[in-house]
Amino acid sequence: MGVERVQEIANFSKETIPEEFIRTTYEQPALTTVQGTVLEVPVIDLSDPDEEKVVRAIVDASSNWGMFQVVNHGIPHETVRKLKEVGKAFFELPPHEKEAYAKSPGSQSIEGYGTKLQREVEGKKAWVDHLFHKIWPPSEINYQFWPKNPPSYRKNNEEYAKHMHGVVDKLFRCLSLGLGLDGNEMKEAMGGDNMVYLLKINYYPRCPRPDLALGVPAHTDMSAITILVPNDVQGLQACKDDHWYDVEYIPNALIVHIGDQVEIVSNGKYKSVLHRAKVNKEKTRISWPVFVEPPPDLEVGPHPKLVNEANPPKFESKKYSQYCFCKLNKTPK
């Protein structure tokens, strides 16, 4: 098999964890989390008929937090439940069945079942296994990375993708209007209907030393926006004013992260959120982020209408694929 999966390591880690999972002291959750304070991330009702009010709330959250939760978002609760059910079932399959979907060594594609995602700083590993595959548009889907077991995996994921469009369109419209642009301009700057929806399942097994390990280290998302649903085990943390806080998500909400590309197109008005994931001693944590991304060859830069002599571009334009390569490989941008 070649690669040791965290799920297998967790099975024989009873009281300690291997050295490579112990984070440095400036990263360890027990030492760096503000205790006793939960971050009250803004909650926005997407069904509110007062669009101006929704736009104001999204602008405020995107400028000051880079993260918010949306309720009454139009994705049926049952659709979300079924997405979670089949994702969890995949990770409960025997190892050899999961390995059939493994990324091949040296592959340039992010899709597939895996453990390591990016260059590991100081050799430290994250306490997580994952599965990546695109769920939209149809021309970008590679079903080789979609599990055939459980049998309803494909149907449930396609149903979720179908319902995702309404949320994506509403969010981009509000982000666009909030910048003084026409409602469709932010989405068009990201590739319009050619935007890619990349699903990731993060599987964080129980960890005997959650005080020392991280599921995912601190990062901002490369995407335009990320729309995430978790299971019922809390673990998301966000950095606000240089401090790490627990983020408590509310049932049936979607968590929205502003990603790097929206920060770039907005020329810094909206902020991509620095966040990380903790792990749990008693329970397995799972999350399902969908990264809404520009097509790989699209050049993304500050929107021309937002740049002038008084407000020069704060970012250089770059093909999205090039941006991702630099960030994942920790090379200068």
Side-chain angles (χ1 to χ4, degrees):
M1 244 178 341
V3 181
E4 199 168 20
R5 303 301 181 194
V6 175
Q7 207 172 347
E8 298 304 304
I9 294 168
N11 286 339
F12 59 76
S13 298
K14 299 302 176 207
E15 293 177 9
T16 59
I17 56 176
E19 178 70 27
E20 62 268 27
F21 290 97
I22 298 175
R23 309 306 298 195
T24 56
T25 51
Y26 61 85
E27 288 184 293
Q28 289 176 16
L31 299 177
T32 56
T33 302
V34 177
Q35 301 298 331
T37 307
V38 172
L39 214 53
E40 306 248 335
V41 170
V43 177
I44 298 169
D45 183 350
L46 280 193
S47 70
D48 192 322
D50 184 346
E51 185 176 65
E52 279 187 30
K53 181 180 165 192
V54 177
V55 169
R56 280 197 307 273
I58 287 178
V59 168
D60 180 64
S62 303
S63 307
N64 297 314
W65 297 77
M67 175 189 282
F68 50 96
Q69 302 185 67
V70 294
V71 294
N72 298 321
H73 41 71
I75 302 181
H77 177 58
E78 186 65 4
T79 300
V80 176
R81 187 191 68 75
K82 287 179 173 178
L83 174 85
K84 293 181 183 180
E85 181 181 76
V86 292
K88 178 172 181 280
F90 169 74
F91 278 92
E92 290 170 351
L93 293 173
H96 71 274
E97 284 196 54
K98 292 188 292 245
E99 292 298 336
Y101 302 95
K103 275 177 270 209
S104 54
S107 167
Q108 292 305 301
S109 170
I110 203 169
E111 292 188 271
Y113 171 60
T115 296
K116 179 183 171 184
L117 177 57
Q118 58 189 22
R119 201 171 124 202
E120 289 158 347
V121 178
E122 299 175 8
K124 295 298 178 189
K125 294 184 175 176
W127 193 265
V128 64
D129 295 324
H130 62 248
L131 176 70
F132 273 106
H133 60 74
K134 294 170 187 170
I135 58 172
W136 189 263
S139 60
E140 288 288 318
I141 291 175
N142 186 343
Y143 288 113
Q144 143 189 7
F145 296 115
W146 290 47
K148 293 182 178 55
N149 201 5
S152 54
Y153 187 93
R154 176 168 169 172
K155 176 170 158 282
N156 292 3
N157 275 262
E158 288 177 338
E159 183 72 10
Y160 187 65
K162 185 179 83 179
H163 285 286
M164 182 66 64
H165 301 308
V167 180
V168 168
D169 287 350
K170 176 92 174 178
L171 292 174
F172 275 114
R173 176 175 168 79
C174 291
L175 289 166
S176 202
L177 293 171
L179 294 169
L181 301 172
D182 292 342
N184 64 333
E185 289 189 270
M186 175 66 92
K187 182 179 173 183
E188 288 308 311
M190 297 296 178
D193 290 333
N194 293 318
M195 285 191 301
V196 175
Y197 299 4
L198 175 67
L199 174 79
K200 182 186 186 193
I201 307 177
N202 289 305
Y203 188 91
Y204 309 98
R206 289 178 301 192
C207 178
R209 294 301 305 268
D211 54 324
L212 301 178
L214 281 173
V216 176
H219 67 287
T220 58
D221 291 345
M222 298 182 288
S223 58
I225 56 174
T226 302
I227 299 172
L228 180 147
V229 292
N231 71 347
D232 58 356
V233 181
Q234 304 280 347
L236 182 63
Q237 292 195 317
C239 188
K240 184 142 172 61
D241 305 323
D242 296 325
H243 291 91
W244 285 103
Y245 295 90
D246 291 319
V247 174
E248 185 161 4
Y249 24 79
I250 55 177
N252 303 326
L254 303 174
I255 300 165
V256 180
H257 298 166
I258 297 299
D260 295 345
Q261 306 313 304
V262 159
E263 179 168 347
I264 290 166
V265 169
S266 74
N267 205 31
K269 174 164 184 180
Y270 300 139
K271 304 286 190 286
S272 63
V273 62
L274 186 64
H275 58 288
R276 69 184 186 185
K278 293 193 308 182
V279 290
N280 191 288
K281 190 171 187 174
E282 313 296 335
K283 297 176 181 172
T284 293
R285 182 169 175 264
I286 315 175
S287 66
W288 288 257
V290 171
F291 302 100
V292 181
E293 305 181 324
D297 288 336
L298 186 74
E299 196 160 287
V300 180
H303 198 285
K305 290 187 180 178
L306 304 177
V307 173
N308 52 40
E309 266 185 49
N311 191 27
K314 295 176 180 163
F315 307 92
E316 62 174 290
S317 297
K318 187 168 280 180
K319 276 189 180 178
Y320 182 60
S321 56
Q322 185 190 0
Y323 183 91
C324 294
F325 179 84
C326 292
K327 187 156 179 173
L328 286 173
N329 291 284
K330 306 279 196 293
T331 61
K333 298 198 182 78

